[in-house]
Amino acid sequence: METTKLPPSTPLRPRGRSGDDAPDDPHHNGGTAPTAVHGTAGDGANVQADSPHGDWGEIHRPRRRSLVIVTIVAVVLLAVLLAVGLIPRLHQSHEVAAEAAAALNAPVMVNVVRPQPADKTFAITVPGTLRPWQEVSVFARTTGYLRKWYADISSQVKAGDLLAEIDAPEVDAQLRAAQAALQQMKAALARAESDLQIARVTNERYLALAGTSGVTQQDLDLKQADFNAAVANRESAKANVAAAEANVKRLSDLQSYEKVYAPFGGVITSRPYDTGSLILADPTATDVKPMYKIAANDVLRAFVNVPQSSALSIRKGMDTKVNAKELPSRTFAGKVMGTTNYLDLNDRTLLTEVKVPNDEHALLPGMYVNVGFTVERLESPLLISAPAIIQSSDGIQVAVVRDGKAHFQKIELGRDFGTTVEVLSGLRPDDQVIGNPGERIGEGVAVKAIENPASPPPAGK
């Protein structure tokens, strides 16, 4: 039988220890010596397979080459996939960054408005309080007891109306005594007149005998002295009569004060005494109350405090409109009576008095009212929209457009009408004011102005 060696392309796996590090010694423990395989080839020949040590490297070399190829292919595929996904993303990121930079550097579109001059005249409403045209406290001038009263609280009286009667018997007695004393003084005056007449005649007779032996010079002097004394007695009697008449007049006036009359027309606002109450004629005492309080309400006074911003426009004789919350459908005409011409240092207001006719007595003294004035400005301020105002730590500002850029301008505000605000200083009529500046508007930011032709709204002029 013929023995044939297998070709190298057909390696045989040894039946023992596997791996590339098999020992050269065929008798190594755990190993098996190469054996010859006897068999019959296709052509009937015997084949013997030998596996020398040099054939193991040839067996593993194709497997290493396959791993390297697979790794290279995987790396190439991974690189291709990364290139396909990353490059478009990088391109898109660059485009977005470019667009953002362009948008950041592009001018900001803003709506601008131009300040409008306010009306030359404007209306202001100031709260005030109504007071009576006249108000007095009526005290008794005669001490006595209240006999009867004729007018009560809320009674509408006229000038000269009888309000009450006082019973004062002491005054009546004093008056009667004074009248009797007056009669005595008058009688004494008559006697003095008679004595004077006798003294005059006697003195004249003695003067006719002067220079004769019928009278002496001493007699003439005595009669002249008697005449002078009679003249003095008459003058004294006249003075006594005048004093007695004055006392009677005083007591008569006190007696007349037993009847209390209204000094002017108005409404009774107080009556603290009832019939039988003791009335003291001492209005200076702290515990003495007035018999009546009367307030004239045919004409009322409204006292209002006009703010400093409008104080220079208030003139005597100006027409006003007076409204009360309790009478919303009625308006009462008023006229400025005058001002104090002095601003209150506490609130910088001008106290103004307004005369309000009240023939129908629809208004009551003490009511809270609103007084409307139509005043004329000395200089008309500018009006801008309220959203254009910027309030920050730097003060009150507006953003204006100049040379295509936004600039902040400090201003001084006047009255606030809600939708519009007065600007007293800091703006010119030709300034372009940004109507509603947002967070993107800063000092020096490039802007593109779009002017609003209907700015600012006329409301609030």
mmCIF file of all heavy atoms in Angstrom, residues 75-110:
data_model
loop_
_atom_site.group_PDB
_atom_site.id
_atom_site.type_symbol
_atom_site.label_atom_id
_atom_site.label_comp_id
_atom_site.label_asym_id
_atom_site.label_seq_id
_atom_site.Cartn_x
_atom_site.Cartn_y
_atom_site.Cartn_z
ATOM 1 N N VAL A 75 -14.194 50.509 10.115
ATOM 2 C CA VAL A 75 -13.726 51.894 10.340
ATOM 3 C C VAL A 75 -14.132 52.775 9.190
ATOM 4 O O VAL A 75 -14.571 53.929 9.370
ATOM 5 C CB VAL A 75 -12.207 51.895 10.539
ATOM 6 C CG1 VAL A 75 -11.673 53.325 10.547
ATOM 7 C CG2 VAL A 75 -11.842 51.213 11.848
ATOM 8 N N VAL A 76 -14.006 52.270 7.976
ATOM 9 C CA VAL A 76 -14.390 53.069 6.797
ATOM 10 C C VAL A 76 -15.877 53.376 6.830
ATOM 11 O O VAL A 76 -16.318 54.505 6.569
ATOM 12 C CB VAL A 76 -13.990 52.333 5.518
ATOM 13 C CG1 VAL A 76 -14.567 53.044 4.296
ATOM 14 C CG2 VAL A 76 -12.480 52.251 5.412
ATOM 15 N N LEU A 77 -16.697 52.341 7.151
ATOM 16 C CA LEU A 77 -18.153 52.576 7.213
ATOM 17 C C LEU A 77 -18.506 53.601 8.297
ATOM 18 O O LEU A 77 -19.359 54.480 8.107
ATOM 19 C CB LEU A 77 -18.861 51.244 7.493
ATOM 20 C CG LEU A 77 -18.858 50.229 6.342
ATOM 21 C CD1 LEU A 77 -19.543 48.923 6.779
ATOM 22 C CD2 LEU A 77 -19.608 50.800 5.134
ATOM 23 N N LEU A 78 -17.837 53.468 9.449
ATOM 24 C CA LEU A 78 -18.099 54.432 10.530
ATOM 25 C C LEU A 78 -17.717 55.843 10.114
ATOM 26 O O LEU A 78 -18.432 56.817 10.399
ATOM 27 C CB LEU A 78 -17.326 54.011 11.780
ATOM 28 C CG LEU A 78 -17.530 54.902 13.017
ATOM 29 C CD1 LEU A 78 -18.999 54.923 13.425
ATOM 30 C CD2 LEU A 78 -16.671 54.408 14.179
ATOM 31 N N ALA A 79 -16.598 55.997 9.460
ATOM 32 C CA ALA A 79 -16.172 57.315 8.995
ATOM 33 C C ALA A 79 -17.158 57.891 7.991
ATOM 34 O O ALA A 79 -17.471 59.086 8.015
ATOM 35 C CB ALA A 79 -14.762 57.225 8.396
ATOM 36 N N VAL A 80 -17.638 57.010 7.110
ATOM 37 C CA VAL A 80 -18.626 57.482 6.115
ATOM 38 C C VAL A 80 -19.900 57.940 6.805
ATOM 39 O O VAL A 80 -20.475 58.988 6.479
ATOM 40 C CB VAL A 80 -18.907 56.361 5.095
ATOM 41 C CG1 VAL A 80 -20.072 56.738 4.199
ATOM 42 C CG2 VAL A 80 -17.670 56.092 4.259
ATOM 43 N N LEU A 81 -20.376 57.134 7.781
ATOM 44 C CA LEU A 81 -21.607 57.522 8.482
ATOM 45 C C LEU A 81 -21.423 58.837 9.243
ATOM 46 O O LEU A 81 -22.307 59.702 9.254
ATOM 47 C CB LEU A 81 -22.001 56.407 9.464
ATOM 48 C CG LEU A 81 -22.475 55.095 8.812
ATOM 49 C CD1 LEU A 81 -22.767 54.044 9.879
ATOM 50 C CD2 LEU A 81 -23.743 55.343 7.980
ATOM 51 N N LEU A 82 -20.273 59.009 9.928
ATOM 52 C CA LEU A 82 -20.020 60.264 10.631
ATOM 53 C C LEU A 82 -19.966 61.435 9.676
ATOM 54 O O LEU A 82 -20.479 62.526 9.961
ATOM 55 C CB LEU A 82 -18.708 60.162 11.426
ATOM 56 C CG LEU A 82 -18.731 59.240 12.644
ATOM 57 C CD1 LEU A 82 -17.340 59.155 13.268
ATOM 58 C CD2 LEU A 82 -19.730 59.750 13.669
ATOM 59 N N ALA A 83 -19.342 61.210 8.548
ATOM 60 C CA ALA A 83 -19.249 62.304 7.575
ATOM 61 C C ALA A 83 -20.624 62.687 7.042
ATOM 62 O O ALA A 83 -20.959 63.864 6.896
ATOM 63 C CB ALA A 83 -18.309 61.907 6.433
ATOM 64 N N VAL A 84 -21.441 61.670 6.777
ATOM 65 C CA VAL A 84 -22.784 61.936 6.235
ATOM 66 C C VAL A 84 -23.637 62.688 7.267
ATOM 67 O O VAL A 84 -24.399 63.595 6.937
ATOM 68 C CB VAL A 84 -23.454 60.616 5.812
ATOM 69 C CG1 VAL A 84 -24.919 60.855 5.438
ATOM 70 C CG2 VAL A 84 -22.720 60.012 4.628
ATOM 71 N N GLY A 85 -23.563 62.360 8.582
ATOM 72 C CA GLY A 85 -24.391 63.017 9.601
ATOM 73 C C GLY A 85 -23.808 64.302 10.146
ATOM 74 O O GLY A 85 -24.540 65.227 10.506
ATOM 75 N N LEU A 86 -22.515 64.422 10.247
ATOM 76 C CA LEU A 86 -21.896 65.572 10.910
ATOM 77 C C LEU A 86 -21.746 66.778 10.002
ATOM 78 O O LEU A 86 -21.959 67.914 10.411
ATOM 79 C CB LEU A 86 -20.525 65.141 11.455
ATOM 80 C CG LEU A 86 -19.757 66.204 12.246
ATOM 81 C CD1 LEU A 86 -20.572 66.619 13.460
ATOM 82 C CD2 LEU A 86 -18.394 65.677 12.657
ATOM 83 N N ILE A 87 -21.384 66.529 8.766
ATOM 84 C CA ILE A 87 -21.147 67.659 7.857
ATOM 85 C C ILE A 87 -22.396 68.505 7.662
ATOM 86 O O ILE A 87 -22.349 69.742 7.756
ATOM 87 C CB ILE A 87 -20.588 67.143 6.513
ATOM 88 C CG1 ILE A 87 -19.170 66.592 6.731
ATOM 89 C CG2 ILE A 87 -20.585 68.256 5.469
ATOM 90 C CD1 ILE A 87 -18.557 65.976 5.492
ATOM 91 N N PRO A 88 -23.591 67.907 7.399
ATOM 92 C CA PRO A 88 -24.795 68.776 7.282
ATOM 93 C C PRO A 88 -25.093 69.544 8.565
ATOM 94 O O PRO A 88 -25.514 70.694 8.527
ATOM 95 C CB PRO A 88 -25.899 67.776 6.962
ATOM 96 C CG PRO A 88 -25.208 66.614 6.366
ATOM 97 C CD PRO A 88 -23.912 66.518 7.078
ATOM 98 N N ARG A 89 -24.856 68.889 9.708
ATOM 99 C CA ARG A 89 -25.105 69.587 10.980
ATOM 100 C C ARG A 89 -24.170 70.772 11.142
ATOM 101 O O ARG A 89 -24.582 71.850 11.587
ATOM 102 C CB ARG A 89 -24.939 68.631 12.152
ATOM 103 C CG ARG A 89 -26.089 67.651 12.281
ATOM 104 C CD ARG A 89 -25.910 66.769 13.477
ATOM 105 N NE ARG A 89 -27.050 65.885 13.620
ATOM 106 C CZ ARG A 89 -27.792 65.771 14.697
ATOM 107 N NH1 ARG A 89 -27.512 66.539 15.739
ATOM 108 N NH2 ARG A 89 -28.801 64.943 14.762
ATOM 109 N N LEU A 90 -22.904 70.575 10.843
ATOM 110 C CA LEU A 90 -21.966 71.687 10.949
ATOM 111 C C LEU A 90 -22.337 72.813 10.000
ATOM 112 O O LEU A 90 -22.277 73.995 10.348
ATOM 113 C CB LEU A 90 -20.534 71.185 10.663
ATOM 114 C CG LEU A 90 -19.934 70.258 11.717
ATOM 115 C CD1 LEU A 90 -18.566 69.745 11.245
ATOM 116 C CD2 LEU A 90 -19.802 70.975 13.047
ATOM 117 N N HIS A 91 -22.772 72.429 8.812
ATOM 118 C CA HIS A 91 -23.169 73.448 7.835
ATOM 119 C C HIS A 91 -24.407 74.222 8.324
ATOM 120 O O HIS A 91 -24.459 75.468 8.229
ATOM 121 C CB HIS A 91 -23.453 72.762 6.496
ATOM 122 C CG HIS A 91 -23.837 73.737 5.415
ATOM 123 N ND1 HIS A 91 -22.934 74.652 4.902
ATOM 124 C CD2 HIS A 91 -25.029 73.946 4.787
ATOM 125 C CE1 HIS A 91 -23.549 75.385 3.975
ATOM 126 N NE2 HIS A 91 -24.821 74.968 3.893
ATOM 127 N N GLN A 92 -25.358 73.467 8.864
ATOM 128 C CA GLN A 92 -26.572 74.126 9.379
ATOM 129 C C GLN A 92 -26.242 75.028 10.576
ATOM 130 O O GLN A 92 -26.792 76.122 10.716
ATOM 131 C CB GLN A 92 -27.595 73.059 9.798
ATOM 132 C CG GLN A 92 -28.924 73.652 10.272
ATOM 133 C CD GLN A 92 -29.916 72.567 10.643
ATOM 134 O OE1 GLN A 92 -29.567 71.384 10.634
ATOM 135 N NE2 GLN A 92 -31.125 72.977 10.944
ATOM 136 N N SER A 93 -25.335 74.571 11.446
ATOM 137 C CA SER A 93 -24.946 75.387 12.606
ATOM 138 C C SER A 93 -24.289 76.677 12.160
ATOM 139 O O SER A 93 -24.555 77.751 12.711
ATOM 140 C CB SER A 93 -24.006 74.582 13.500
ATOM 141 O OG SER A 93 -23.558 75.381 14.576
ATOM 142 N N HIS A 94 -23.435 76.588 11.127
ATOM 143 C CA HIS A 94 -22.803 77.807 10.616
ATOM 144 C C HIS A 94 -23.836 78.756 10.025
ATOM 145 O O HIS A 94 -23.737 79.980 10.195
ATOM 146 C CB HIS A 94 -21.741 77.433 9.575
ATOM 147 C CG HIS A 94 -20.486 76.854 10.179
ATOM 148 N ND1 HIS A 94 -19.695 77.541 11.065
ATOM 149 C CD2 HIS A 94 -19.897 75.625 10.034
ATOM 150 C CE1 HIS A 94 -18.678 76.801 11.441
ATOM 151 N NE2 HIS A 94 -18.771 75.608 10.833
ATOM 152 N N GLU A 95 -24.815 78.205 9.338
ATOM 153 C CA GLU A 95 -25.870 79.054 8.762
ATOM 154 C C GLU A 95 -26.681 79.753 9.859
ATOM 155 O O GLU A 95 -26.989 80.948 9.764
ATOM 156 C CB GLU A 95 -26.793 78.213 7.886
ATOM 157 C CG GLU A 95 -26.146 77.745 6.589
ATOM 158 C CD GLU A 95 -27.130 76.967 5.729
ATOM 159 O OE1 GLU A 95 -28.236 76.668 6.261
ATOM 160 O OE2 GLU A 95 -26.802 76.668 4.575
ATOM 161 N N VAL A 96 -27.043 78.990 10.921
ATOM 162 C CA VAL A 96 -27.814 79.587 12.014
ATOM 163 C C VAL A 96 -27.007 80.684 12.703
ATOM 164 O O VAL A 96 -27.533 81.760 13.039
ATOM 165 C CB VAL A 96 -28.226 78.499 13.027
ATOM 166 C CG1 VAL A 96 -28.826 79.132 14.282
ATOM 167 C CG2 VAL A 96 -29.242 77.554 12.393
ATOM 168 N N ALA A 97 -25.718 80.420 12.929
ATOM 169 C CA ALA A 97 -24.876 81.433 13.571
ATOM 170 C C ALA A 97 -24.773 82.682 12.712
ATOM 171 O O ALA A 97 -24.814 83.813 13.217
ATOM 172 C CB ALA A 97 -23.492 80.855 13.853
ATOM 173 N N ALA A 98 -24.665 82.467 11.393
ATOM 174 C CA ALA A 98 -24.588 83.625 10.500
ATOM 175 C C ALA A 98 -25.887 84.420 10.511
ATOM 176 O O ALA A 98 -25.888 85.659 10.525
ATOM 177 C CB ALA A 98 -24.256 83.163 9.077
ATOM 178 N N GLU A 99 -27.028 83.698 10.494
ATOM 179 C CA GLU A 99 -28.313 84.396 10.537
ATOM 180 C C GLU A 99 -28.494 85.147 11.854
ATOM 181 O O GLU A 99 -29.015 86.260 11.885
ATOM 182 C CB GLU A 99 -29.450 83.393 10.345
ATOM 183 C CG GLU A 99 -29.511 82.806 8.949
ATOM 184 C CD GLU A 99 -30.622 81.769 8.818
ATOM 185 O OE1 GLU A 99 -31.293 81.517 9.855
ATOM 186 O OE2 GLU A 99 -30.812 81.236 7.719
ATOM 187 N N ALA A 100 -28.087 84.513 12.983
ATOM 188 C CA ALA A 100 -28.199 85.180 14.277
ATOM 189 C C ALA A 100 -27.342 86.440 14.325
ATOM 190 O O ALA A 100 -27.761 87.479 14.843
ATOM 191 C CB ALA A 100 -27.806 84.231 15.403
ATOM 192 N N ALA A 101 -26.131 86.351 13.796
ATOM 193 C CA ALA A 101 -25.264 87.524 13.790
ATOM 194 C C ALA A 101 -25.857 88.627 12.921
ATOM 195 O O ALA A 101 -25.819 89.813 13.275
ATOM 196 C CB ALA A 101 -23.871 87.135 13.285
ATOM 197 N N ALA A 102 -26.428 88.203 11.757
ATOM 198 C CA ALA A 102 -27.042 89.209 10.883
ATOM 199 C C ALA A 102 -28.244 89.851 11.555
ATOM 200 O O ALA A 102 -28.457 91.068 11.473
ATOM 201 C CB ALA A 102 -27.449 88.562 9.555
ATOM 202 N N ALA A 103 -29.069 89.020 12.243
ATOM 203 C CA ALA A 103 -30.238 89.575 12.939
ATOM 204 C C ALA A 103 -29.826 90.479 14.086
ATOM 205 O O ALA A 103 -30.480 91.485 14.380
ATOM 206 C CB ALA A 103 -31.123 88.431 13.452
ATOM 207 N N LEU A 104 -28.718 90.109 14.769
ATOM 208 C CA LEU A 104 -28.274 90.925 15.889
ATOM 209 C C LEU A 104 -27.771 92.285 15.436
ATOM 210 O O LEU A 104 -27.976 93.297 16.096
ATOM 211 C CB LEU A 104 -27.178 90.172 16.651
ATOM 212 C CG LEU A 104 -26.631 90.854 17.911
ATOM 213 C CD1 LEU A 104 -27.748 91.022 18.939
ATOM 214 C CD2 LEU A 104 -25.482 90.062 18.486
ATOM 215 N N ASN A 105 -27.137 92.298 14.304
ATOM 216 C CA ASN A 105 -26.584 93.555 13.798
ATOM 217 C C ASN A 105 -27.563 94.330 12.940
ATOM 218 O O ASN A 105 -27.284 95.481 12.597
ATOM 219 C CB ASN A 105 -25.308 93.269 12.992
ATOM 220 C CG ASN A 105 -24.217 92.656 13.856
ATOM 221 O OD1 ASN A 105 -24.103 92.994 15.032
ATOM 222 N ND2 ASN A 105 -23.430 91.757 13.288
ATOM 223 N N ALA A 106 -28.725 93.735 12.625
ATOM 224 C CA ALA A 106 -29.706 94.433 11.789
ATOM 225 C C ALA A 106 -30.440 95.488 12.604
ATOM 226 O O ALA A 106 -30.624 95.335 13.806
ATOM 227 C CB ALA A 106 -30.711 93.423 11.217
ATOM 228 N N PRO A 107 -30.866 96.601 12.021
ATOM 229 C CA PRO A 107 -31.624 97.634 12.754
ATOM 230 C C PRO A 107 -32.942 97.082 13.281
ATOM 231 O O PRO A 107 -33.605 96.264 12.634
ATOM 232 C CB PRO A 107 -31.859 98.720 11.686
ATOM 233 C CG PRO A 107 -30.816 98.468 10.639
ATOM 234 C CD PRO A 107 -30.597 96.983 10.624
ATOM 235 N N VAL A 108 -33.308 97.542 14.470
ATOM 236 C CA VAL A 108 -34.556 97.119 15.104
ATOM 237 C C VAL A 108 -35.698 97.974 14.551
ATOM 238 O O VAL A 108 -35.604 99.202 14.526
ATOM 239 C CB VAL A 108 -34.477 97.258 16.634
ATOM 240 C CG1 VAL A 108 -35.779 96.809 17.286
ATOM 241 C CG2 VAL A 108 -33.304 96.452 17.168
ATOM 242 N N MET A 109 -36.758 97.324 14.112
ATOM 243 C CA MET A 109 -37.935 98.044 13.608
ATOM 244 C C MET A 109 -38.716 98.600 14.799
ATOM 245 O O MET A 109 -39.106 97.866 15.705
ATOM 246 C CB MET A 109 -38.817 97.108 12.788
ATOM 247 C CG MET A 109 -38.085 96.415 11.663
ATOM 248 S SD MET A 109 -37.576 97.543 10.347
ATOM 249 C CE MET A 109 -39.165 97.932 9.644
ATOM 250 N N VAL A 110 -38.948 99.903 14.814
ATOM 251 C CA VAL A 110 -39.674 100.542 15.916
ATOM 252 C C VAL A 110 -40.718 101.502 15.337
ATOM 253 O O VAL A 110 -40.517 102.087 14.267
ATOM 254 C CB VAL A 110 -38.730 101.317 16.860
ATOM 255 C CG1 VAL A 110 -37.823 100.383 17.612
ATOM 256 C CG2 VAL A 110 -37.931 102.368 16.104
#
